[in-house]
Amino acid sequence: MKIFVVNAGSSSLKYQLIDMENETVLAKGLCERIGVSGSITHKAADGREYNAETAMPTHSEAFETVVYAMTKSDAKVIDSFDEISAIGHRVVQGGSIFKESCIITDDVLEKIDELGALAPLHNPAHVLAIRACIKTFGSDIPQVAVFDTSFHQTMPAKAYMFPLPYEYYEKYGVRKYGAHGTSHRFVGNRLIELVNKPEKELKVITCHLGNGCSITANINGACVDTSMGFTPLDGFMMGTRTGTLDPSALTFIAEKENLTPAQINDICNKKSGMLGVSGVSNDNRDILAAANSGNERAYLALRMQRYQIIKFIGSYVAAMNGVDAIAFTGGIGENDAGLREEICANLTYLGLEIDPELNAQRGKEIKISTPKSAVDVYVVPTNEELAIARDTLALIS
Ligand code: ADP
């Protein structure tokens, strides 16, 4: 059985075709500059590629190009889309409505659209893409929505409410929703399997550290708290995002520089974080290289981010009154051994100990804590596409 997984933005469309017999990727690709010009980069699992510049005024043309790449190009992997059993879509915001993944109906599409107020950059684009997908593939192929926020819907109110006047929650739904939920669920569930202590109440912390970063606490697979908030801006310092800071710093800067809320939003989301402090880049590798060659602001950015991660983990240990296992994932979490070492060196109060040789290994699932460590520490590569495909398969079965 083959599942097509779609992650669409307003001008891009990432996809994977996954064979669920053995959960292998048959092909993956990316359409970019939708609405502007249009290009596709498509790769079959055996290394064949199809790359082209072709007009994509809307997502419909992008999907048609994907169909061509998959079924007719030199990198074709199937004869026809009839071979595909279902399509799974990543959706950023499910609000308080979508507590789990679901089959897409007209009503579901309308609700995803309404939730656009909470995710203006994402949900309207998802709706456009899903409509284009239905137009291209017809309504006989079931389509499923998998929400980044669903996993966090088990948080108790004490964790998700903001200490603002209650009316803003009632009127506008202003609260913590979290993000990266599909990744935290995938990695958290895998961690629970790896630790394999079914008789025990398992307290788990998953650290998704990529361009966007978030940390989630879960007990027996149910999220109890997460660092991202009303939007993915909350939490700790990321590639270009601030994470949590004193809101009065922002009103102060807005007054001094005569900035609108939209401009402040832009600064906090796109010009801050590792980029803003280092002045070098938003990319961890560039910042590591700059710090190694003596750039003090790059060095400071690294220290700040790691310090904030240590504080978040500590706060979740306190919230759960303990922790049994911690996982690192995402481009930074999976690859940056120095970051893991620095963070774990500040968690020895938990009886946590990592093996430097195991920690130095890269690019695979691995336990990096020692046998005597009181907390199991793992690197677990995330796979959001596979998680979406699994949900899609489960819903159509
Ligand atoms: P996204 O959030 O866009 O999915 P990724 O999870 O791919 O991002 O993570 C991207 C980040 O991972 C970048 O900051 C990149 O520098 C960092 N990264 C990737 N490989 C390494 C590495 N070998 N060492 C350190 N950082 C790395």
Side-chain angles (χ1 to χ4, degrees):
M1 187 169 291
K2 297 183 185 83
I3 305 279
F4 181 51
V5 176
V6 175
N7 179 355
S10 56
S11 66
S12 70
L13 193 167
K14 261 196 234 170
Y15 62 88
Q16 283 192 8
L17 180 63
I18 302 180
D19 186 347
M20 297 309 284
E21 297 297 320
N22 41 15
E23 296 192 333
T24 51
V25 177
L26 299 173
K28 60 167 112 177
L30 171 66
C31 296
E32 289 178 288
R33 299 197 297 279
I34 300 168
V36 185
S37 47
S39 68
I40 183 168
T41 333
H42 170 90
K43 260 190 196 159
D46 58 12
R48 284 172 301 133
E49 284 189 26
Y50 171 70
N51 301 313
E53 307 268 326
T54 168
M56 295 176 186
T58 69
H59 287 83
S60 295
E61 292 79 18
F63 279 116
E64 279 157 22
T65 311
V66 175
V67 173
Y68 177 83
M70 295 257 223
T71 60
K72 296 208 164 66
S73 75
D74 290 344
K76 71 173 259 190
V77 285
I78 48 176
D79 289 324
S80 135
F81 253 75
D82 293 344
E83 291 175 41
I84 287 165
S85 306
I87 302 175
H89 293 267
R90 173 195 180 216
V91 178
V92 164
Q93 182 55 267
S96 306
I97 302 174
F98 295 105
K99 299 190 188 315
E100 43 198 38
S101 307
C102 65
I103 302 254
I104 296 173
T105 60
D106 285 344
D107 182 48
V108 166
L109 257 184
E110 240 167 68
K111 292 202 167 88
I112 296 174
D113 207 13
E114 280 163 23
L115 289 165
L118 299 177
L121 297 180
H122 294 103
N123 276 33
H126 296 322
V127 173
L128 277 178
I130 294 169
R131 288 199 200 286
C133 196
I134 296 171
K135 193 174 133 201
T136 309
F137 300 109
S139 43
D140 286 347
I141 298 189
Q143 310 223 13
V144 165
V146 178
F147 302 88
D148 281 5
T149 48
S150 293
F151 180 60
H152 304 305
Q153 280 293 306
T154 48
M155 278 187 292
K158 68 178 179 185
Y160 70 68
M161 286 302 292
F162 293 142
L164 284 166
Y166 199 78
E167 65 187 272
Y168 300 125
Y169 167 64
E170 291 177 311
K171 274 205 269 189
Y172 310 119
V174 176
R175 50 158 281 186
K176 180 193 280 279
Y177 292 102
H180 282 153
T182 308
S183 172
H184 285 293
R185 176 163 57 105
F186 180 88
V187 172
N189 287 345
R190 181 69 190 134
L191 191 55
I192 290 169
E193 266 172 32
L194 289 165
V195 172
N196 191 21
K197 288 180 188 152
E199 71 290 353
K200 196 175 178 307
E201 179 181 68
L202 266 194
K203 297 170 179 172
V204 158
I205 294 175
T206 48
C207 308
H208 180 116
L209 311 174
N211 253 321
C213 298
S214 63
I215 299 183
T216 291
N218 89 52
I219 300 182
N220 288 338
C223 172
V224 293
D225 207 342
T226 192
S227 62
M228 282 179 168
F230 180 57
T231 69
L233 181 57
D234 201 1
F236 52 95
M237 191 174 167
M238 312 173 209
T240 59
R241 289 174 237 165
T242 56
T244 305
L245 48 76
D246 180 350
S248 63
L250 300 176
T251 49
F252 177 86
I253 294 169
E255 277 174 13
K256 287 277 176 206
E257 304 254 326
N258 205 12
L259 299 173
T260 63
Q263 287 170 312
I264 285 287
N265 204 26
D266 197 57
I267 290 169
C268 291
N269 274 291
K270 297 186 183 153
K271 298 181 180 152
S272 300
M274 304 300 281
L275 171 68
V277 174
S278 72
V280 171
S281 166
N282 64 309
D283 192 284
N284 188 52
R285 281 165 295 194
D286 297 342
I287 299 165
L288 286 169
N292 282 338
S293 49
N295 184 313
E296 284 178 19
R297 277 172 53 187
Y299 181 82
L300 172 64
L302 291 171
R303 297 289 83 66
M304 284 170 68
Q305 190 188 43
R306 293 170 184 193
Y307 175 65
Q308 293 180 9
I309 294 170
I310 290 162
K311 288 205 296 181
F312 254 103
I313 293 176
S315 73
Y316 288 162
V317 173
M320 294 192 290
N321 191 14
V323 62
D324 298 295
I326 299 176
F328 291 95
T329 195
I332 300 175
E334 289 167 34
N335 295 299
D336 192 339
L339 168 135
R340 293 193 300 260
E341 190 181 322
E342 189 168 328
I343 288 166
C344 292
N346 265 272
L347 299 171
T348 50
Y349 68 93
L350 295 169
L352 181 155
E353 184 185 77
I354 61 165
D355 178 328
E357 274 177 32
L358 295 175
N359 184 45
Q361 299 192 23
R362 255 186 48 199
K364 59 175 181 184
E365 183 178 280
I366 185 169
K367 183 176 180 178
I368 59 170
S369 51
T370 63
K372 72 170 206 240
S373 177
V375 180
D376 290 330
V377 185
Y378 281 85
V379 174
V380 180
T382 193
N383 193 339
E384 285 156 293
E385 290 79 11
L386 180 57
I388 293 172
R390 283 180 182 167
D391 277 18
T392 304
L393 179 63
L395 275 163
I396 60 160
S397 297

